[in-house]
Amino acid sequence: MVKGRTLLLLVFGLWISTVNSAVSSRPKVVKIGALLTYNSVIGRSAKPAIVAAVEDVNSNRNVLPGIDLQVILHDTNCSGFLGTVEALQLMKNEVVAAVGPQSSGIAHVVSHVANELHVPLLSFGATDPTLSALQYPYFIRTTQSDYYQMHAIADFIEYHGWREVIAIFVDDDNGRNGVTALGDALSKKRSRISYKAAFPPEASQSYISDLLNEVNLMESRVYVLHVNPDSGLTIFSIAKKLRMMSTGYVWIATDWLPSMLDSLVRADTGTMNILQGVVAFRHHIPDTDLKKSFITRLKNLKDNNTESFNSYAFYAYDSVWLAAHALDVFLNEGGNISFSSDPRLRDTKGSVLNLAALRTFDGGDQFLQTILRMNFTGLSGKIEFDHDKNLIYPAYDILNIGGTGSRSIGYWSNHSGLSVLVPETLHMKKSFNTSTSNQKLYSVIWPGGATTTPKGWVFPNNGKPLRIAVPNRVSYKEFVAKDKNPPGVQGFCIDVFEAALKLLPYPVPRQYMLYGNGDRNPNYNNLVDQVAQNNYDAAVGDVTIVTNRTRFVDFTQPFMGSGLVIVVPAKKGKSSPWAFLKPFTAQMWCITGAFSLFVGSVVWILEHRFNEEFRGSPRTQLITVFWFSLSTMIFSHRENTVSTLGRLVLIMWLFVVLIINSSYTASLTSILTVQQLSSQIEGIDSLISSTQPIGIQDGSFARKYLVEELRIPKSRIVTLKNMQGYIDALQRGPKYGGVVAVVDELPYIETLMSSTDCKFRTVGQEFTKSGWGFAFQRDSPLAIDLSTAILQLSENGDLQKIHDKWLNKMECSNDADPNKLSLRSFWVLFLICAIVCVLAIIIFFVRVLCQYIKFSPEHEEDGVEIQPTKYRRTSKTHSFKDLILFVDKKEAEIKEILREKRKKRRRSKSLDGLSNSPT
């Protein structure tokens, strides 16, 4: 028992000594540094926030208990050189972390110092996206990266349908790299920066004025202004004087503008007047009670250089707390704050830099990892880092400057995109559709008081008209050709282009420039390449929209459907006095005639006992059968059918006759009017399998398609210069140096056929589907506006009128030579009709036979004579002739005789019954 108590006391003593040792290892004072520019929009807000944060940490018993956190402030004076010097001076004080620097340019330099000394930099103001690179492991951004801000701006630009913007920026690290991020973000939206207008940090007003004048001559009217808060207003002031803040212009400012305005208690009227209609992006800070109380507290601090604060104050405050929380965890996990000399840092003889005083933080790497895994909620929102060392949940307020202040038109976050809902509410949703159709913002009042979205571009005001390349064709000049009169070109394509331009709400200065030497058609692929290389602004003509061309230029909506077809020679069928016999084969004629007589005979049999029109002398009845059979072929029979079976057979036969007559009429019409082929080519398959030459139009894309897509040898391809070349080559044929067929686009072939009185015709189907469009340089807004205008022309009928003016000519049939109609096409009809006839005959004779059986016994018993005297028979054997004579009798007579005999039989039975009864 005593030994147990002794052991317990020993363990307790060891634990107490360990705790005392750990406590004694925690320093009494920990120093952090702060690098910022005191006399700046950001610095005036950040400095009091940093001081307040240090006070709050020291007064909090739960964080760094027993440790006095001290901050050493250094003014970088907004200078890269002075900032570096101040950073080196700061590091001599053995700080474990530095809050700042404020400037991205200084951060690039100081990060190298931090890497060497293992001192983390917690920057609340350096937004340059490239600072997240692996090159700067000790740089930690505690504000939002401009990478996200530029994506927010790109989404805003896409939302309003703009394709080009002009970036105006300060030519420093922050400006250049921010605009580069904007360009990358826009490229994902199929938009681009058309011009980068850079100016030096200390640019004079005259320099900025010249730059804005240059920008104003360009096409785009959407400007993204990415500058410093201290000099940004100068841009707007000069732009106002140059009338660049009027209707039609769009100005988008990055977070520098809200930072500057938020630092003002009340902006003066002159400042707000030059900012009317500007859209600005501001870091989103959740609107909490803690935030409001903190702002009130800062305003009450003494020695403040500002009475209002921007978002950077919250980021600076949270940066100090981030360092404090990380230090607390670092020390609790056994971390030790110690510094050691780096043998590589030594002063040379006569040096005054005192580099030997710079000491490396031994626990810097461990402390860095501790910072990166911190997770808490600060004034600026959630403080947590992703794998790129950026804060999670980046978000921005989108503001519209107007009147004496600004109003929110929505928000942007990387989780939800553009939305009118506060980002915090959307972060709670696990999934959110960020497609363009779900993006939403409130309406914007643009510069000049406009409420409709500006189109974002105008024709450049530099005196240069639109350079339009027009193919100088030598064939098919109906589509496009040179003209002696202004504007120097004419044709279907030119009229469509001019009509579309008239529908645009703005004038389009233009100059048509012929492309090609006029001796042969130009190569259209080369023409499109010239547009892509900025030698022309557009190409107007019969330019086919094909895949390889769309990679380099933008096309309008097609104004003419097109596709490759095959054309071959055709010959007119000679008229013949026996042409009326051609629709049917001889077999078909014979079967039709025989069946007509068969049906007539069946109807005669079925109607003979009922219908007086089918009775008479044998000669008369024979004529009736023939007449009835032939007259039903043209629906002119006059005999009526009264029996049910006769009507059934006749209805079936008339249906067959209707089908035969309709087919005969259609076939005869085709034979008398349609051309006959004089070529064995029936479509694309037979063309490929053939070995004979194929003609194509000079300059057409058909050559590339036939060779590369259909694998037709180049040796088979014959280039034809013009329409006469088509005609000669097709008429000569492959045997006499011509071609077996021509492959070209449908509009050309239709013109060829109508111009040659349909001596040629197409075979098979179109084996490509495309169209003609006007080609413009990539991302040209004119391509979109003209597409809308072309659709209007199509809807209001003007496009068809232009087509009829230039191309409305004789149409040629494309039907193939019809084959003669044979029994194969109608045998089912004949079979059905034959079955109906046979069934009707069977039913008829069964019925007659039943009557005959009933009639015969009575005839013998009563000695009734049913035939003339000369035909009487005394024998009881009934001959076939008797049956025929019975069948020949009228149905009414037979029924009457049978009725009388039934009456006599009943009377006879009655008399027999009376005679046998007892008296």
Side-chain angles (χ1 to χ4, degrees):
M1 189 70 176
V2 176
K3 291 182 179 180
R5 288 179 180 178
T6 305
L7 181 61
L8 181 63
L9 290 173
L10 180 61
V11 171
F12 181 75
L14 290 173
W15 180 78
I16 291 294
S17 62
T18 302
V19 170
N20 290 334
S21 175
V23 171
S24 63
S25 65
R26 293 171 67 92
K28 299 293 184 182
V29 176
V30 176
K31 299 177 183 178
I32 63 172
L35 296 169
L36 65 158
T37 300
Y38 295 169
N39 188 25
S40 66
V41 170
I42 296 176
R44 286 190 290 269
S45 291
K47 183 180 178 182
I50 293 173
V51 173
V54 172
E55 293 177 357
D56 291 345
V57 169
N58 288 328
S59 62
N60 191 309
R61 296 181 179 180
N62 297 322
V63 179
L64 296 178
I67 297 177
D68 182 26
L69 181 66
Q70 296 181 359
V71 60
I72 302 173
L73 298 170
H74 278 257
D75 187 2
T76 58
N77 291 297
C78 202
S79 167
F81 174 73
L82 295 178
T84 304
V85 172
E86 292 295 328
L88 291 173
Q89 293 295 329
L90 175 65
M91 297 302 177
K92 293 177 181 179
N93 296 301
E94 295 187 346
V95 295
V96 296
V99 177
Q102 169 186 320
S103 165
S104 296
I106 298 174
H108 276 281
V109 179
V110 175
S111 292
H112 293 286
V113 178
N115 292 346
E116 188 67 28
L117 301 180
H118 297 177
V119 176
L121 298 178
L122 310 180
S123 178
F124 60 88
T127 58
D128 179 0
T130 62
L131 287 169
S132 298
L134 298 176
Q135 181 184 5
Y136 308 114
Y138 283 86
F139 177 85
I140 302 173
R141 194 194 324 269
T142 56
T143 184
Q144 300 297 345
S145 169
D146 277 343
Y147 171 86
Y148 298 109
Q149 180 171 210
M150 297 309 170
H151 275 73
I153 293 174
D155 283 350
F156 183 81
I157 291 169
E158 182 192 32
Y159 178 82
H160 290 93
W162 300 315
R163 301 292 296 276
E164 292 187 356
V165 303
I166 292 177
I168 304 174
F169 60 98
V170 178
D171 194 9
D172 59 10
D173 290 328
N174 185 62
R176 282 191 306 272
N177 296 328
V179 168
T180 299
L182 174 63
D184 294 340
L186 288 174
S187 65
K188 298 177 182 178
K189 310 292 183 182
R190 288 208 65 188
S191 300
R192 68 187 183 98
I193 299 175
S194 60
Y195 183 72
K196 296 181 179 180
F199 59 91
E202 304 297 331
S204 64
Q205 291 194 15
S206 61
Y207 186 98
I208 295 175
S209 179
D210 292 341
L211 181 65
L212 292 181
N213 271 313
E214 180 183 358
V215 163
N216 199 30
L217 295 175
M218 297 179 181
E219 185 177 274
S220 179
R221 284 289 183 267
V222 181
Y223 305 130
V224 177
L225 191 58
H226 186 48
V227 295
N228 298 320
D230 300 280
S231 59
L233 285 180
T234 304
I235 308 289
F236 284 117
S237 178
I238 297 173
K240 182 77 172 178
K241 294 177 182 178
L242 298 176
R243 299 182 180 179
M244 295 176 66
M245 301 297 296
S246 57
T247 303
Y249 289 86
V250 177
W251 287 88
I252 302 172
T254 53
D255 64 280
W256 69 267
L257 181 58
S259 298
M260 186 273 298
L261 294 177
D262 290 343
S263 299
L264 304 174
V265 178
R266 170 171 285 183
D268 61 89
T269 305
T271 299
M272 298 309 299
N273 283 341
I274 65 174
L275 297 176
Q276 297 297 303
V278 175
V279 174
F281 286 72
R282 177 178 63 190
H283 297 119
H284 175 71
I285 305 296
D287 193 14
T288 60
D289 293 337
L290 187 62
K291 168 188 171 183
K292 296 175 183 178
S293 62
F294 176 70
I295 292 176
T296 302
R297 175 187 169 193
L298 288 183
K299 290 180 179 179
N300 295 330
L301 290 177
K302 296 181 179 180
D303 301 327
N304 272 349
N305 294 325
T306 181
E307 297 181 5
S308 188
F309 301 89
N310 53 45
S311 60
Y312 290 99
F314 306 107
Y315 289 121
Y317 181 86
D318 287 343
S319 298
V320 174
W321 271 101
L322 173 63
H325 281 298
L327 273 171
D328 191 44
V329 173
F330 172 75
L331 293 173
N332 290 337
E333 292 178 350
N336 185 34
I337 298 178
S338 62
F339 295 85
S340 59
S341 299
D342 188 341
R344 295 173 299 173
L345 296 175
R346 58 181 183 274
D347 296 313
T348 57
K349 229 180 231 187
S351 173
V352 295
L353 294 177
N354 195 20
L355 295 177
L358 297 175
R359 301 178 55 135
T360 302
F361 180 22
D362 296 329
D365 185 63
Q366 181 184 348
F367 183 45
L368 173 65
Q369 300 306 318
T370 304
I371 292 175
L372 292 177
R373 55 188 173 90
M374 286 294 98
N375 185 354
F376 68 96
T377 300
L379 289 178
S380 61
K382 188 79 169 177
I383 306 298
E384 185 180 353
F385 298 96
D386 60 19
H387 62 280
D388 290 326
K389 298 185 298 181
N390 291 317
L391 290 175
I392 63 172
Y393 301 144
Y396 291 86
D397 302 332
I398 306 176
L399 309 177
N400 183 205
I401 312 300
T404 58
S406 63
R407 65 185 181 93
S408 174
I409 59 172
Y411 306 91
W412 180 93
S413 74
N414 67 332
H415 176 70
S416 61
L418 300 174
S419 174
V420 295
L421 301 177
V422 179
E424 297 87 70
T425 61
L426 298 177
H427 290 158
M428 299 177 184
K429 297 183 179 181
K430 293 183 178 180
S431 62
F432 190 86
N433 191 347
T434 59
S435 63
T436 305
S437 59
N438 289 320
Q439 306 293 285
K440 185 178 180 182
L441 294 174
Y442 293 120
S443 59
V444 179
I445 299 177
W446 306 99
T451 55
T452 57
T453 302
K455 67 176 182 292
W457 67 279
V458 295
F459 279 96
N461 191 21
N462 53 16
K464 295 180 181 179
L466 204 65
R467 302 165 299 168
I468 301 176
V470 177
N472 190 8
R473 294 191 60 88
V474 297
S475 62
Y476 298 108
K477 294 188 176 182
E478 299 91 340
F479 298 104
V480 61
K482 180 181 179 180
D483 188 23
K484 295 180 180 179
N485 301 319
V489 288
Q490 64 175 358
F492 168 73
C493 300
I494 301 301
D495 281 5
V496 172
F497 184 70
E498 289 289 335
L501 289 180
K502 291 178 181 178
L503 296 177
L504 299 182
Y506 47 84
V508 181
R510 56 199 175 277
Q511 177 184 2
Y512 293 107
M513 307 170 71
L514 291 171
Y515 181 80
N517 55 20
D519 294 331
R520 56 184 298 182
N521 292 334
N523 186 295
Y524 280 60
N525 285 332
N526 295 339
L527 171 61
V528 172
D529 288 341
Q530 292 295 312
V531 176
Q533 294 171 13
N534 197 29
N535 294 324
Y536 299 102
D537 297 309
V540 172
D542 48 342
V543 183
T544 306
I545 305 172
V546 293
T547 304
N548 66 309
R549 294 174 183 172
T550 58
R551 297 190 181 103
F552 311 108
V553 296
D554 284 345
F555 281 94
T556 62
Q557 171 81 14
F559 61 88
M560 168 73 91
S562 179
L564 290 179
V565 294
I566 302 170
V567 63
V568 297
K571 62 180 180 180
K572 199 75 171 183
K574 295 182 179 180
S575 298
S576 170
W578 300 100
F580 67 91
L581 295 176
K582 290 184 178 181
F584 290 160
T585 62
Q587 181 192 37
M588 184 64 187
W589 280 115
C590 293
I591 293 296
T592 303
F595 223 91
S596 177
L597 292 174
F598 171 69
V599 172
S601 301
V602 171
V603 173
W604 176 82
I605 293 173
L606 299 174
E607 291 290 318
H608 178 70
R609 302 184 71 202
F610 299 90
N611 197 336
E612 286 290 342
E613 294 183 2
F614 287 87
R615 299 184 67 82
S617 64
R619 181 175 178 275
T620 301
Q621 293 185 51
L622 185 62
I623 293 174
T624 299
V625 170
F626 276 99
W627 165 254
F628 183 82
S629 300
L630 297 176
S631 61
T632 54
M633 294 297 297
I634 55 174
F635 305 100
S636 63
H637 56 284
R638 63 173 180 266
E639 293 81 8
N640 294 320
T641 53
V642 295
S643 68
T644 302
L645 294 174
R647 288 176 176 176
L648 175 64
V649 171
L650 184 60
I651 288 174
M652 188 64 230
W653 174 242
L654 291 179
F655 175 73
V656 174
V657 169
L658 174 65
I659 300 299
I660 293 175
N661 284 349
S662 300
S663 303
Y664 174 86
T665 303
S667 181
L668 181 61
T669 302
S670 180
I671 289 173
L672 295 177
T673 58
V674 175
Q675 299 167 329
Q676 310 298 308
L677 293 180
S678 62
S679 172
Q680 297 301 317
I681 302 300
E682 298 179 351
I684 186 61
D685 293 331
S686 57
L687 183 69
I688 295 173
S689 60
S690 171
T691 58
Q692 296 172 323
I694 304 169
I696 64 167
Q697 185 181 172
D698 190 13
S700 171
F701 76 97
R703 172 186 291 275
K704 183 176 181 180
Y705 182 84
L706 294 176
V707 173
E708 296 184 2
E709 299 296 331
L710 302 184
R711 304 297 181 184
I712 294 177
K714 292 182 180 179
S715 58
R716 291 183 59 192
I717 308 299
V718 178
T719 301
L720 303 175
K721 185 176 181 180
N722 51 36
M723 185 187 297
Q724 189 59 45
Y726 279 35
I727 297 172
D728 294 342
L730 287 170
Q731 289 179 341
R732 289 198 307 269
K735 291 183 179 180
Y736 301 99
V739 296
V740 68
V742 167
V743 174
D744 207 347
E745 294 180 76
L746 184 59
Y748 302 126
I749 298 305
E750 289 178 341
T751 303
L752 169 70
M753 292 192 299
S754 61
S755 300
T756 56
D757 195 22
C758 298
K759 292 181 180 179
F760 308 97
R761 59 175 303 272
T762 60
V763 292
Q765 302 293 324
E766 291 182 61
F767 53 92
T768 65
K769 292 290 185 181
S770 58
W772 291 351
F774 304 128
F776 289 85
Q777 294 180 14
R778 290 303 297 269
D779 303 319
S780 172
L782 250 183
I784 299 174
D785 290 353
L786 277 177
S787 292
T788 304
I790 290 171
L791 289 175
Q792 288 182 258
L793 289 176
S794 178
E795 292 171 357
N796 62 26
D798 289 344
L799 188 59
Q800 185 61 43
K801 292 177 182 177
I802 299 173
H803 179 276
D804 295 342
K805 171 186 173 183
W806 289 96
L807 308 174
N808 189 23
K809 297 182 180 180
M810 180 177 62
E811 295 184 359
C812 300
S813 174
N814 288 330
D815 293 333
D817 180 23
N819 296 320
K820 291 184 177 182
L821 298 174
S822 64
L823 181 61
R824 181 181 300 175
S825 304
F826 303 99
W827 70 269
V828 173
L829 286 175
F830 283 120
L831 177 62
I832 294 173
C833 186
I835 292 173
V836 172
C837 290
V838 171
L839 289 175
I841 290 294
I842 292 173
I843 294 171
F844 173 78
F845 278 109
V846 169
R847 184 170 174 272
V848 169
L849 186 60
C850 291
Q851 288 179 338
Y852 184 69
I853 292 172
K854 291 179 181 179
F855 179 80
S856 296
E858 294 177 358
H859 160 65
E860 292 174 359
E861 291 174 6
D862 301 331
V864 178
E865 296 181 1
I866 63 172
Q867 54 188 355
T869 304
K870 61 182 180 179
Y871 292 119
R872 292 178 183 172
R873 296 179 59 90
T874 59
S875 175
K876 293 183 179 181
T877 304
H878 300 289
S879 67
F880 177 73
K881 190 173 183 180
D882 292 334
L883 178 61
I884 295 300
L885 291 174
F886 178 80
V887 172
D888 189 54
K889 271 194 159 312
K890 289 185 178 181
E891 181 75 11
E893 293 179 5
I894 297 299
K895 288 183 177 181
E896 182 62 28
I897 292 172
L898 292 175
R899 192 181 303 112
E900 291 295 330
K901 297 312 172 186
R902 282 195 296 272
K903 289 180 181 179
K904 288 181 180 181
R905 187 168 57 252
R906 284 196 297 270
R907 286 197 299 268
S908 175
K909 289 181 179 180
S910 298
L911 291 174
D912 292 341
L914 290 174
S915 61
N916 295 328
S917 62
T919 56

